[in-house]
DNA sequence: CGCATTCACTTAACATGTTAAGTATCTTCG
DNA sequence: CGAAGATACTTAACATGTTAAGTGAATGCG
C-alpha cells in the first residue's frame, strides 16, 4: 500500500492546483453517456443489417429528401465532409445509393437512395421505430420532449453567442 | 393503451414504406448536436496544448484519483479498452503519465499522472473552467442542472430496463 | 500438480472524427 | 479571354470508436 493523500472527502487532492468540477458530472460527459446509452439500444439491430450508425443516418436523410448535394447531405446527417465522402463511396459500392454529377455545375454531385437502399430501409425501419418507441415509453414522452427542447436551446445558445436565450432566471 | 400512431397523417413521401420521425429530431441526433456544440467551445483551447478531448479526459480522471488500474480508468473516463490502450501508450511516450505493474497481480498495471502531467493540467484547467463557466452562464445554471438531471435519468432508465424510473402517467 | 477457464489488458482490423492539403470546376474581374 | 480567387468535393494523415482475436497471468477444480 502506497501512501494515500490525506483521505478527507474526495474534494481535496493535494496534487491539484486547480480544483475542477467532479469529472463525471461535466456536461460533455453527461451528453456522451446519455447518447451512448441510447445508441446501445440501436446498434445491434443496425449491425444485423450490416449498417453503421452513420450509414443509417445517411440513408434516412436521403429517404426523406429524394436527392441532395453532398454538402447539403453533410449538414442534414451532421457529418463532416471527409467522413461523408468515404461513406458515400462505400454505400455506392454496395449499390445502396446512386450518384450523378449535376448538369449545371460539374463540381456538384447529386446523391439519391437506390431501390435497394429503399428496400433495406424498409427492412430496418420497423425495428428502429419499435426501439425508439420503447425508449420513449420508458423515459416518458413528455419528459423526452422536454429534454429535446433543452438540448435544442443549449445548441442554439452556444451557436449564436449573442442570442440572449430565454434564461431569465439567472443574472 | 399504447396504440401505434396510425400512419394516416404523415405518409406523404411516395418512396417510403415506413414513415419515420423527422430525422433531425431524433434523440440521438439531438444529443450529438448538443454535445458537438459544447465540445466546439473546448477543442481549440485543448488543441493549443496538444491535447485531444479524450487525452484530456484521461488526465482529468487521473488527477483526481492518484492511481488507477486500466479497467477502472476506462470506466471513469468512459473509454473502451482498446482506445484507452492506445492513448495511454501515447501519453506515456509524452511522459504525461506513468505506469507500473501491480506487485500482487502481474496482469494489472497501475496508471498515474506524472509531474509533467500535473503541470500541463495546471496550465489548461483555468481556461477550461472559464469556458465551462461561460457555458453555464449562457445557458443558465439552474437549467443546466435540470438538463444534467434528465440526462442522468435517461441513462439510468436505459441501463436498467427494470428500474421503473418516474415515468409520468403511463401504466 | 495440471489443465481448462477466467481475467486484464493489448493488437488487429475496419469505420468514423478531425484537420489540412489537394483537385477540378466555376466565378470574377481586368 | 485569362489569370486569381472561390467553391464543391476528395485525399491524406492521424486519433478514436467498435468489435474480434491474441497474450500472458491468475484461478478453479479434478
Amino acid at each position: 500500500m502506497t501512501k494515500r493523500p490525506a483521505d478527507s472527502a474526495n474534494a481535496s487532492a493535494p496534487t491539484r492546483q486547480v480544483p475542477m468540477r467532479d469529472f463525471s458530472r461535466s456536461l460533455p460527459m453527461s451528453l456522451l453517456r446519455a447518447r451512448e446509452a441510447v445508441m446501445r439500444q440501436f446498434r445491434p439491430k443496425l449491425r444485423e443489417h450490416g449498417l453503421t450508425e452513420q450509414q443509417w443516418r445517411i440513408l434516412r436523410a436521403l429517404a426523406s429528401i429524394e436527392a441532395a448535394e453532398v454538402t447539403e447531405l453533410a449538414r442534414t446527417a451532421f457529418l463532416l465532409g471527409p467522413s461523408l465522402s468515404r461513406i458515400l463511396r462505400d454505400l455506392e459500392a454496395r449499390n445502396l445509393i446512386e450518384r450523378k454529377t449535376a448538369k449545371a455545375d460539374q463540381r456538384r454531385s447529386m446523391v439519391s437512395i437506390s431501390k435497394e437502399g429503399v428496400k433495406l430501409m424498409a427492412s430496418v425501419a420497423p425495428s428502429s421505430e419499435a426501439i425508439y418507441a420503447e425508449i420513449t415509453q420508458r423515459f416518458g414522452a413528455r419528459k423526452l420532449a422536454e429534454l429535446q427542447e433543452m438540448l435544442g436551446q443549449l445548441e442554439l445558445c452556444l451557436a449564436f453567442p449573442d442570442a440572449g436565450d430565454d434564461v431569465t432566471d439567472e443574472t
Side-chain angles (χ1 to χ4, degrees), chain A residues 65-129:
Chain A
I65 55 180
E66 209 65 22
E69 302 171 11
V70 173
T71 301
E72 183 190 356
L73 188 54
R75 194 169 33 74
T76 305
F78 207 67
L79 293 169
L80 293 180
S83 294
L84 183 55
S85 219
R86 281 177 306 214
I87 300 174
L88 288 180
R89 166 167 51 70
D90 299 348
L91 289 180
E92 191 175 21
R94 285 168 67 181
N95 293 315
L96 294 176
I97 65 163
E98 287 159 5
R99 258 198 287 204
K100 54 179 193 289
T101 56
K103 308 178 261 309
D105 188 338
Q106 298 286 67
R107 293 171 304 180
R108 300 163 195 271
S109 79
M110 303 303 291
V111 185
S112 57
I113 192 168
S114 71
K115 270 195 171 53
E116 202 174 333
V118 171
K119 224 161 44 176
L120 178 56
M121 278 213 63
S123 77
V124 180
S127 310
S128 172
E129 285 298 292

Side-chain angles (χ1 to χ4, degrees), chain A residues 121-149:
Chain A
M121 278 213 63
S123 77
V124 180
S127 310
S128 172
E129 285 298 292
I131 293 171
Y132 201 90
E134 167 76 12
I135 292 172
T136 302
Q137 197 217 328
R138 236 207 274 286
F139 188 61
R142 189 161 58 219
K143 246 163 101 175
L144 182 55
E146 245 180 89
L147 174 57
Q148 303 231 46
E149 172 64 20

Side-chain angles (χ1 to χ4, degrees), chain A residues 18-64:
Chain A
V18 181
M20 299 198 68
R21 277 159 296 95
D22 180 5
F23 174 55
S24 63
R25 281 179 216 164
S26 74
L27 180 57
M29 280 297 282
S30 296
L31 290 166
L32 180 58
R33 283 147 69 127
R35 185 175 141 81
E36 178 55 28
V38 172
M39 286 316 301
R40 204 191 306 281
Q41 317 292 313
F42 288 100
R43 256 190 285 269
K45 183 60 65 178
L46 290 178
R47 191 172 171 72
E48 277 179 25
H49 295 269
L51 287 175
T52 66
E53 179 194 334
Q54 292 82 355
Q55 292 167 348
W56 177 239
R57 285 219 300 272
I58 293 174
L59 290 183
R60 282 190 62 178
L62 284 178
S64 65

